[in-house]
Amino acid sequence: MEIRVASKLDLDSIVEIEEESFSVPFKRDDILYELENNPFSKTLVIEDEDKKIYGYIIFWITFDSATINRIAVRKNKRNRGFAGFLLQNAEKMWKENDVETVTLEVRASNIPAISLYEKYGFLKITVKKQYYEDGEDAIYMMKGLI
């Protein structure tokens, strides 16, 4: 298992995981923009020894803060520690870039994700009412790194 910075060559795999993971997935062009054109965006992928991608994390680093935009793992590979491994490696990158705080929004109904974030030190800060297109609330979470 290896973590590395994603490239355009990983786009098909990321889109496939995105579409199986989210009720409102990012479009292919949006992910491509994150990979190639957004100067603040970083994408890490986790792959096996056969170079098959199991998951990814997309985040932005802006000055002394980072925001997690997406984290997803293939359905058949969930609950094996891959998401945690992605978070741990992203945190190394955040610290290398002098990030002080990391934030994210997560669906209030996504209990497994909320539990994962809490396990890695994120705290619930507030609820963003009707944050998602379908009207579901988001839990806004934050982690301090210093």
Side-chain angles (χ1 to χ4, degrees):
M1 172 170 38
E2 179 186 342
I3 298 265
R4 62 173 174 76
V5 174
S7 74
K8 184 179 177 180
L9 298 174
D10 302 315
L11 183 61
D12 289 341
S13 293
I14 293 170
V15 169
E16 186 177 292
I17 298 167
E18 176 79 13
E19 289 176 349
E20 78 173 22
S21 298
F22 296 101
S23 57
V24 182
F26 284 173
K27 293 178 174 65
R28 180 181 193 83
D29 286 345
D30 296 331
I31 296 169
L32 183 59
Y33 174 78
E34 295 301 321
L35 288 171
E36 294 202 315
N37 299 108
N38 184 342
F40 304 105
S41 184
K42 307 288 183 212
T43 302
L44 302 177
V45 293
I46 186 168
E47 63 184 8
D48 66 8
E49 56 278 351
D50 296 328
K51 305 298 183 197
K52 182 170 173 75
I53 294 174
Y54 286 163
Y56 64 92
I57 183 170
I58 301 172
F59 56 90
W60 294 344
I61 296 176
T62 50
F63 305 103
D64 62 353
S65 66
T67 302
I68 297 175
N69 292 340
R70 284 293 214 240
I71 183 168
V73 174
R74 289 186 187 277
K75 285 186 179 183
N76 66 343
K77 298 295 181 183
R78 292 184 185 158
N79 301 310
R80 298 184 188 188
F82 294 128
F85 196 52
L86 284 162
L87 282 171
Q88 289 170 340
N89 281 272
E91 186 166 326
K92 288 178 191 173
M93 189 175 279
W94 299 328
K95 288 180 177 179
E96 289 168 0
N97 285 276
D98 299 318
V99 168
E100 296 177 9
T101 58
V102 183
T103 61
L104 61 92
E105 289 92 8
V106 59
R107 285 183 177 270
S109 64
N110 193 344
I111 303 306
I114 293 168
S115 297
L116 172 75
Y117 297 132
E118 288 177 331
K119 177 179 175 181
Y120 285 91
F122 286 83
L123 302 173
K124 295 177 185 174
I125 302 301
T126 192
V127 174
K128 293 184 174 184
K129 297 288 185 189
Q130 298 181 341
Y131 181 79
Y132 294 100
E133 291 177 7
D134 61 4
E136 184 173 356
D137 296 345
I139 306 296
Y140 181 75
M141 301 182 80
M142 180 182 292
K143 178 178 181 172
L145 300 178
I146 57 170

